[in-house]
Amino acid sequence: MSDEFRHIPVLLEETMTGLHIREDGTYVDCTLGGGGHSARIAEALGPTGTLVGLDQDDTALAAATTRLAPYPCRKHFVRSNFRHLADVLDDLRIEKVDGVLFDIGVSSPQLDEASRGFSYHHDAPLDMRMDRSQSLTAYDVVNAWDTKALARMIRTYGEERFAQKIARAIVQSRAAQPIERTVQLAAIIKEAIPAPARREGPHPAKRTFQAIRIAVNDELGALEQGLAAAIARTARGGRIAVITFHSLEDRIVKQMFKREAETCTCPPDFPVCVCGNERSLKLVTRKPVKASTQELTYNPRARSAKLRVAEKMVE
């Protein structure tokens, strides 16, 4: 595998256990990356099994294609956002699958590649696009959105308590000159946050950079659409496994799984059930699975990872 795209898959053993791979099954890795999770899926599949891998990043697709070439299962690698999962399966003429994996978040190579503009540690153009063919970039968000929109985005997606101060500082700074580089933005954010708060916790720019990345890539909207499609297209007895890295993503997964696992959707004040709803999912993990102490010693980025797994109950 190329040095350009190395990525240590998180919660690998736990994910494989959760997916419960059948050697003749059809599985979708919605976040192919460098192929770490997919390599284990492909290893468990026989010649009649099928692996579908999705990724927006050409570098990731190329690396995964090379890495997974030796495995005998059928393989389809598609450049696409997982929000288009249903369309991808339609194009491949696959009606139902036996398992779907989502590993949400930015992969290590994307974070480490300075030119991508994801990191406040490297000087780079403000980009942050996972799909480099899309038009909206971090530069557009930072230099065009008004104070109210910036503050709402930073507060909601970054869970940043100083969102209003940061938004005002960004707008004031760009009035003098455009904010073009990651180090410029990081410095503005740091200056906007009160000194006592800067001396504790993570880097002052961490939450705001996260918020901008989520906004640029519409990550939460994509997750909702992709997860809904996965639930609809997974066959009875199939599994859906989702790895998230912050509370906003985990909340979406938890709520969607919980809703689909409920048998009745009638309002609480109804005296009897009239919906006749049949639950579509069974929760395999009641609580999220987290990385072991052993895993954290060699992969610190797994610290915030949470895995949830559900099983499809109906066709």
Side-chain angles (χ1 to χ4, degrees):
M1 183 178 172
S2 166
D3 287 336
E4 293 179 21
F5 211 101
R6 291 189 181 277
H7 179 59
I8 303 173
V10 303
L11 296 168
L12 180 58
E13 299 304 325
E14 296 86 347
T15 301
M16 293 304 106
T17 298
L19 285 173
H20 198 59
I21 307 292
R22 286 185 11 228
E23 66 174 359
D24 62 345
T26 298
Y27 295 84
V28 183
D29 186 345
C30 286
T31 43
L32 184 61
H37 287 105
S38 276
R40 285 296 299 273
I41 295 172
E43 184 180 350
L45 292 174
T48 60
T50 301
L51 170 65
V52 179
L54 279 61
D55 207 289
Q56 300 179 94
D57 192 295
D58 290 324
T59 306
L61 285 169
T65 300
T66 300
R67 179 173 186 172
L68 299 173
Y71 297 101
C73 62
R74 305 185 187 103
K75 296 179 284 288
H76 305 280
F77 301 130
V78 184
R79 185 179 182 279
S80 178
N81 186 301
F82 53 66
R83 75 191 317 153
H84 305 303
L85 173 60
D87 293 334
V88 170
L89 294 178
D90 286 345
D91 289 343
L92 295 173
R93 297 184 180 180
I94 297 173
E95 181 60 31
K96 294 287 184 177
V97 301
D98 299 293
V100 184
L101 168 63
F102 296 85
D103 179 5
I104 309 300
V106 184
S107 67
S108 300
Q110 289 173 328
L111 286 172
D112 295 337
E113 188 181 340
S115 64
R116 302 296 294 273
F118 288 108
S119 176
Y120 39 80
H121 292 303
H122 304 293
D123 182 23
L126 279 174
D127 191 329
M128 300 195 195
R129 292 172 299 171
M130 293 183 185
D131 178 357
R132 285 183 276 195
S133 69
Q134 77 172 42
S135 58
L136 183 69
T137 68
Y139 175 90
D140 301 320
V141 171
V142 169
N143 288 281
W145 290 20
D146 62 25
T147 305
K148 184 177 180 180
L150 284 170
R152 183 171 58 248
M153 177 263 295
I154 295 168
R155 185 183 306 109
T156 303
Y157 296 160
E159 299 178 301
E160 171 60 73
R161 57 179 170 150
F162 300 111
Q164 190 67 39
K165 290 179 180 290
I166 293 169
R168 284 200 299 264
I170 288 172
V171 172
Q172 290 171 1
S173 180
R174 77 189 190 197
Q177 62 176 10
I179 303 169
E180 299 180 341
R181 313 285 297 185
T182 52
V183 291
Q184 281 180 272
L185 179 60
I188 292 165
I189 296 167
K190 184 177 180 180
E191 187 65 27
I193 293 176
R198 295 201 301 263
R199 291 193 288 268
E200 60 187 37
H203 190 286
K206 180 178 180 178
R207 295 186 181 92
T208 300
F209 267 62
Q210 170 187 291
I212 296 170
R213 190 202 77 220
I214 290 172
V216 167
N217 297 287
D218 187 27
E219 293 178 30
L220 301 186
L223 175 57
E224 290 180 344
Q225 289 179 256
L227 193 51
I231 294 170
R233 300 298 285 267
T234 298
R236 184 173 184 172
R239 299 280 184 90
I240 302 165
V242 189
I243 302 170
T244 60
F245 288 85
H246 63 72
S247 60
L248 295 174
E249 300 163 343
D250 182 59
R251 192 177 305 137
I252 289 171
V253 178
K254 178 182 178 180
Q255 290 175 349
M256 290 189 74
F257 277 1
K258 181 182 178 183
R259 183 171 65 247
E260 295 294 329
E262 291 175 345
T263 54
C264 178
T265 58
C266 295
D269 57 347
F270 272 34
V272 295
C273 174
V274 296
C275 70
N277 186 59
E278 184 179 8
R279 65 174 180 162
S280 63
L281 295 179
K282 175 180 72 175
L283 301 181
V284 176
T285 54
R286 290 283 171 180
K287 294 184 177 180
V289 178
K290 299 182 180 180
S292 65
T293 303
Q294 181 183 7
E295 179 173 357
L296 293 176
T297 59
Y298 65 83
N299 192 11
R301 281 175 174 162
R303 186 171 304 278
S304 58
K306 294 180 180 180
L307 168 68
R308 294 186 186 270
V309 183
E311 182 175 314
K312 189 71 179 289
M313 299 294 291
V314 296
E315 285 295 341

